[in-house]
Amino acid sequence: SSNGGSVAIGHNALKTYTGSFSNVAIGQGAGQDMGSSGGQNTLVGDNAGYGCKGFNSVIIGFHAGSASNTQGGETIIGMQARYFGNNLAGNTAVGKDALLVANGAVNCTAIGKGALVACNSSDNTALGEAAGYSITTGTDNVMIGKATQGPTTASNTVVIGSDIGNQGNYSN
């Protein structure tokens, strides 16, 4: 692409981008369907950042951040990490399926395979495989450890351990 100094490598990479900001898209379909929006993004992997219309994101992985509309300032690394979700900003998802279904997630940090997999709220932090997997609409939670969880709508909950949770505010 010659738009704003963008670099596109791969079949359909940045296919519809007509904006004037720089983007780097490497992989089949990376950054496809951006239209005239978005810029200063780094998109690496087949369909990485497909439909990305935001600014200043790093999206790396097969289908990472790819079924979404707008991202801004996100770091997404891993196969299908932060796959679904519209109008999101400030999220960090590292690991396969981290923040997979994140409609409405803002300023969340999910590190680990399937961490915060169904989170649709803001300001949650999960570290570990499937950490925070039960959180859907709760906010301001911290889940550390494999399969830690809290009530689906919990807020201000801290859970530390392995395979524990769903019982309120405590640590193990």
Side-chain angles (χ1 to χ4, degrees):
S1 172
S2 62
N3 298 319
S6 291
V7 175
I9 301 171
H11 181 68
N12 289 334
L14 293 177
K15 181 178 179 180
T16 64
Y17 185 62
T18 59
S20 59
F21 296 95
S22 296
N23 288 289
V24 175
I26 301 172
Q28 178 176 307
Q32 184 174 340
D33 197 27
M34 284 183 75
S36 62
S37 302
Q40 294 136 349
N41 297 299
T42 301
L43 316 167
V44 179
D46 283 4
N47 289 317
Y50 186 104
C52 174
K53 293 177 174 47
F55 288 85
N56 306 312
S57 291
V58 175
I59 303 173
I60 300 171
F62 181 79
H63 288 270
S66 68
S68 54
N69 184 10
T70 303
Q71 306 97 10
E74 291 194 290
T75 302
I76 303 167
I77 301 172
M79 179 179 174
Q80 294 182 334
R82 233 284 287 116
Y83 182 75
F84 295 105
N86 291 317
N87 303 313
L88 310 172
N91 292 307
T92 299
V94 179
K96 181 183 183 302
D97 297 334
L99 279 171
L100 176 68
V101 182
N103 288 313
V106 177
N107 299 323
C108 289
T109 300
I111 300 175
K113 178 182 174 185
L116 292 175
V117 69
C119 182
N120 294 308
S121 55
S122 63
D123 302 308
N124 290 297
T125 300
L127 175 61
E129 180 182 355
Y133 70 89
S134 64
I135 301 295
T136 55
T137 58
T139 62
D140 300 298
N141 296 297
V142 177
M143 305 287 154
I144 301 174
K146 180 182 176 201
T148 51
Q149 62 174 323
T152 59
T153 60
S155 292
N156 303 307
T157 299
V158 176
V159 179
I160 301 173
S162 181
D163 296 306
I164 60 173
N166 206 19
Q167 297 175 14
N169 296 325
Y170 72 98
S171 63
N172 183 19

